[in-house]
């Protein structure tokens, strides 16, 4: 085993960097590194140039760092009655306009996070950072903001908070940290379920945290690791964390892309046609905008390393093979319909959800089918064509509502519905209307939509059809959902929900049909929010129990 690893490592490029980066001349793929990784009590892994498949290896954890899970991470303020994705990430290497391209790619991922945006670039010797609160267009509206972000590599991030203060600039990624071998930047999409016990243990050993984000734990784990080189530190840190993570790291001249062993959150790799630059992004829509061709997904449990010196790509195994559990809500709601996520076109998935819903729960005598824009569009189209009922745009969405109008209290949410959606009375008046939406969370927005269609729109009947199963459990893998007791389907059966939102009939897509839309891959998706079957077990040990130990 050691000989095989040595042969693979010998083919890896030299990791010599300048003084501002994370490696020194002696920090190479060398014998001390092989000795560490080939210990009988520790794991083996393989590095393979241009390899597309990761190799399995036994899992281990860093000694003295607790791996106990804790799921009492506080949820962010829930401003709209939909689950909210935590963030989107981008990484680019090998292009002189890396930072500018990164900002464009972040525009394409704006739907994944609207509270903050940031970019870190590298010129081969030093890292340069710019972060801010607000939309990408707000943070990088001034060309002078992008001007200092020089270099041929960059990573970027758009943020919607789950854990941590929503309006704190310190929590806006990418984070940049210095340690004894230089500087390292990281951007993270996901959520660590063992963040709190890890943070407690690190703080008890003297670590000082600057943010309330779980991502900072990863940087501390890398900094305290005794492994060499940086790739080994990243792997060791990722073997300790638990939960969902798609990560991009940037050192002075290397870009790293990492995905957790279950593949909860998406991460794809592309290549720009004009320059050959390699791009990583949360969705393929970001690749499309900057004229990058999709190459493949970053595999679950894989680390991809791109060396900026020669643009060579190395693949390494992060973890042993685990059951793939990609987040099904990416297809229900999060991802843009023009993206391909987990190997499936999003618009086609949503269309099939609606068509299956029409077969399962038709509405005899219905006059029209309308979507709740925008995420309900393709499901409504599938329902209309599957049922033979005409499709209409009975609700018009305003795209000019400022984020300041979306308030966390009940009055604010009621106002938000009226500001966002306007009924077309000429289409709705006197009609029996089928309204297709992607999901129901609290039920507050659904009740307002029903009321709006009946009062302002003049509809005779409103029949709600939901293109996903009832949401009964909170997500702990990077999606901001209310606590379980706030989920209306966790408190009521379908009839109770129907009465609460005030429609004539209500039906949800069955779990079997949801899974069936993905064929023989249906079992490879995480549907814990519908089933309470969490792929990474949640342990109820609180941080205070650690403190009292």
């Amino acid at each position: 085993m050691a000989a095989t690893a040595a042969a693979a490592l010998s083919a890896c490029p030299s990791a010599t960097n300048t003084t501002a980066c994370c490696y020194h001349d002696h920090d190479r793929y060398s014998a001390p590194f092989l000795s560490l990784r080939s210990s009988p009590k520790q794991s083996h892994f393989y590095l393979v140039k241009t390899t597309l498949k990761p190799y399995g290896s036994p899992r281990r954890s860093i000694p003295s760092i607790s791996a106990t899970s804790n799921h009492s991470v506080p949820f962010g303020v829930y401003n709209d009655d939909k689950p909210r994705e935590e963030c989107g990430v981008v990484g680019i290497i090998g292009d002189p306009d890396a930072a500018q391209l990164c900002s464009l790619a972040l525009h394409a991922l704006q739907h994944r996070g609207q509270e903050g945006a940031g970019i870190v670039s590298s010129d081969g010797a030093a890292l340069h950072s710019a972060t801010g609160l607000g939309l990408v267009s707000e943070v990088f509206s001034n060309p002078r903001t992008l001007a200092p972000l020089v270099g041929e590599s960059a990573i970027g991030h758009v943020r919607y908070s789950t854990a941590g203060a929503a309006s704190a600039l310190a929590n806006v990624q990418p984070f940049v940290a210095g340690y004894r071998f230089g500087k390292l930047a990281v951007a993270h999409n996901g959520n660590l379920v063992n963040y709190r016990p890890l943070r407690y243990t690190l703080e008890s050993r003297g670590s000082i945290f600057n943010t309330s984000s779980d991502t900072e734990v990863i940087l501390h784990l890398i900094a305290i690791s005794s492994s060499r080189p940086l790739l080994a530190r990243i792997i060791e840190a990722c073997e300790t964390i638990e939960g969902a993570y798609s990560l991009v790291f940037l050192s002075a001249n290397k870009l790293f892309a990492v995905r957790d062993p279950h593949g909860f959150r998406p991460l794809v790799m592309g290549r720009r046609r004009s320059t050959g630059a390699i791009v990583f992004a949360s969705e393929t829509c970001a690749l499309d905008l900057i004229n990058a061709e999709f190459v493949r997904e970053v595999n679950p449990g894989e680390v991809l390393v791109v060396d900026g010196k020669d643009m060579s790509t190395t693949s390494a195994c992060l973890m042993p093979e685990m059951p793939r559990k990609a987040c099904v809500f990416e297809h229900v709601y999060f991802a843009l319909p023009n993206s391909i996520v987990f190997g499936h076109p999003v618009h086609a998935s949503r269309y099939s959800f609606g068509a299956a819903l029409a077969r399962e729960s038709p509405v005899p005598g219905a006059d029209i089918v309308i979507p709740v824009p925008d995420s309900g569009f393709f499901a409504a189209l599938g329902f209309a064509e599957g049922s033979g009922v005409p499709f209409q745009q009975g609700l018009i969405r305003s795209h000019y509502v400022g984020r300041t109008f979306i308030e966390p209290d009940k009055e604010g949410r009621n106002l938000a519905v009226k500001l966002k959606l306007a009924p077309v009375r000429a289409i709705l008046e006197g009609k029996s209307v089928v309204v297709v939406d992607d999901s129901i969370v609290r039920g507050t927005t659904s009740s307002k939509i029903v009321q709006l269609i009946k009062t302002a729109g003049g509809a005779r009947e409103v029949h709600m059809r939901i293109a996903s199963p009832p949401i009964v459990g909170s997500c702990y893998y990077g999606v901001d959902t209310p606590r379980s007791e706030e989920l209306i389907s966790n408190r009521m059966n379908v009839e109770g929900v129907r009465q609460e939102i005030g429609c004539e009939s209500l039906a949800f897509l069955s779990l079997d049909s949801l899974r069936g839309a993905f064929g023989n891959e249906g079992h490879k998706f995480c549907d814990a929010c519908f089933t309470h079957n969490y792929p990474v077990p949640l342990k109820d040990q609180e941080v205070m129990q650690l403190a009292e130990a």
Side-chain angles (χ1 to χ4, degrees):
M1 183 74 74
T4 306
L9 288 167
S10 64
C12 293
S14 173
T16 303
N17 287 348
T18 58
T19 56
C21 65
C22 294
Y23 300 143
H24 291 311
D25 287 341
H26 60 274
D27 194 11
R28 300 175 183 269
Y29 298 97
S30 58
F33 172 64
L34 288 175
S35 174
L36 168 69
R37 306 304 292 176
S38 60
S39 168
K41 295 183 180 180
Q42 297 172 342
S43 63
H44 300 285
F45 73 92
Y46 301 91
L47 291 175
V48 182
K49 296 271 282 188
T50 64
T51 296
L52 299 186
K53 285 189 176 181
Y55 293 86
S57 62
R59 181 178 179 177
R60 71 184 181 90
S61 60
I62 297 176
S64 77
I65 295 291
S66 169
T68 304
S69 295
N70 179 280
H71 65 277
S72 59
V73 177
F75 292 97
V77 175
Y78 196 73
N79 293 337
D80 199 359
D81 196 20
K82 292 290 181 186
R84 304 293 283 274
E85 175 60 88
E86 185 179 6
C87 57
V89 299
V90 175
I92 299 173
I93 188 167
D95 197 294
D97 297 319
Q100 178 68 41
L101 292 169
C102 199
S103 70
L104 291 173
L106 291 178
H107 274 284
L109 299 178
Q110 187 72 87
H111 59 287
R112 301 185 74 89
Q114 300 179 18
E115 289 179 354
I119 295 173
V120 173
S121 72
S122 172
D123 59 9
L127 301 184
H128 311 275
S129 175
T131 60
L133 295 172
L135 303 175
V136 176
S137 59
E138 296 168 339
V139 176
F140 297 105
S141 59
N142 191 328
R144 287 179 294 180
T145 307
L146 280 173
L149 301 178
V150 296
E152 295 192 352
S153 57
I155 62 173
H157 188 269
V158 287
R159 177 175 186 268
Y160 179 82
S161 63
T162 53
S167 59
L169 181 59
N171 284 330
V172 178
Q173 299 180 34
F175 294 154
V176 181
Y179 73 121
R180 65 183 181 274
F181 293 121
K183 288 188 175 182
L184 181 67
V186 62
H188 173 206
N189 177 23
N191 198 57
L192 307 183
V193 298
N194 63 337
Y195 154 65
R196 292 192 176 279
L198 283 175
R199 176 164 177 157
Y200 171 81
T201 305
L202 287 163
E203 287 179 328
S204 69
R205 295 174 54 181
S207 292
I208 298 174
F209 284 77
N210 296 313
T211 76
S212 56
S213 170
D214 57 350
T215 308
E216 195 177 2
V217 161
I218 302 170
L219 289 173
H220 281 272
L221 292 172
I222 291 171
I224 67 172
S225 171
S226 60
S227 297
R228 301 268 290 280
L230 177 57
L231 175 60
R233 292 174 178 270
I234 291 174
I235 290 176
E236 191 172 83
C238 290
E239 287 176 337
T240 305
I241 59 178
E242 296 180 5
Y245 51 91
S246 286
L247 301 160
V248 286
F249 294 92
L250 183 65
S251 67
N253 59 13
K254 284 186 171 65
L255 179 63
F256 302 78
V258 186
R259 210 161 157 219
D260 70 76
H262 288 290
F264 284 109
R265 310 251 66 84
L267 189 61
V268 296
M269 175 184 177
R271 188 183 295 271
R272 291 202 76 214
R273 300 174 182 90
S274 57
T275 62
I278 292 176
V279 183
F280 297 98
S282 293
E283 292 183 36
T284 59
C285 63
L287 304 182
D288 297 337
L289 185 60
I290 61 173
N291 295 318
E293 184 177 11
F294 172 77
V295 175
R296 67 174 178 92
E297 283 190 301
V298 177
N299 290 314
E302 181 182 25
V303 185
L304 275 171
V305 188
V306 185
D307 192 320
K309 294 179 178 179
D310 58 10
M311 295 301 293
S312 61
T313 303
T314 301
S315 174
C317 169
L318 176 67
M319 292 282 193
E321 185 175 351
M322 293 185 181
R324 180 167 181 155
K325 289 296 177 183
C327 175
V328 75
F329 231 89
E330 292 284 350
H331 280 268
V332 172
Y333 176 69
F334 293 137
L336 286 185
N338 57 319
S339 285
I340 298 173
V341 176
F342 308 131
H344 297 267
V346 174
H347 79 277
S349 298
R350 293 177 185 169
Y351 181 93
S352 64
F353 296 160
L357 192 55
R359 293 191 299 269
E360 290 181 347
S361 304
V363 182
D367 297 309
I368 57 172
V369 175
I370 70 169
V372 175
D374 289 319
S375 57
F377 180 88
F378 284 99
L381 192 62
F383 189 99
E385 295 186 5
S387 62
V389 180
F391 175 90
Q392 291 279 1
Q393 284 277 25
L395 291 171
I396 304 301
R397 180 187 172 189
S398 171
H399 294 271
Y400 306 100
V401 178
R403 290 173 297 115
T404 54
F405 287 107
I406 312 304
E407 301 292 342
D409 59 13
K410 185 177 180 180
E411 280 191 25
R413 286 194 295 267
N414 293 349
L415 177 61
V417 173
K418 293 179 182 179
L419 286 169
K420 280 186 174 181
L421 300 175
V424 183
R425 191 174 183 91
I427 291 175
L428 301 172
E429 189 170 18
K431 303 287 179 58
S432 174
V433 181
V434 180
V435 181
V436 180
D437 202 357
D438 57 90
S439 60
I440 294 180
V441 183
R442 280 194 178 100
T444 53
T445 296
S446 297
S447 66
K448 299 306 172 188
I449 289 173
V450 171
Q451 187 179 46
L452 193 68
I453 292 171
K454 286 185 173 182
T455 56
R460 184 178 81 254
E461 297 176 345
V462 175
H463 302 270
M464 292 290 293
R465 292 297 181 266
I466 308 302
S468 65
I471 298 175
V472 296
S474 295
C475 177
Y476 306 106
Y477 308 127
V479 178
D480 189 21
T481 52
R483 291 181 172 87
S484 294
E485 60 268 21
E486 298 179 72
L487 299 169
I488 191 169
S489 292
N490 190 51
R491 298 184 286 107
M492 304 176 181
N493 59 20
V494 175
E495 176 58 20
V497 176
R498 184 199 69 77
Q499 293 180 17
E500 183 75 12
I501 67 177
C503 57
E504 274 63 41
S505 73
L506 170 67
F508 293 84
L509 183 67
S510 70
L511 184 61
D512 286 343
S513 290
L514 181 77
R515 292 171 174 169
F518 300 102
N520 58 10
E521 292 187 3
H523 67 285
K524 295 183 178 181
F525 286 81
C526 175
D527 49 29
C529 54
F530 306 132
T531 64
H532 284 127
N533 295 326
Y534 293 97
V536 178
L538 302 173
K539 303 166 189 176
D540 291 327
Q541 186 172 8
E542 299 290 338
V543 178
M544 287 307 296
Q545 290 176 304
L546 289 173
E548 293 167 0

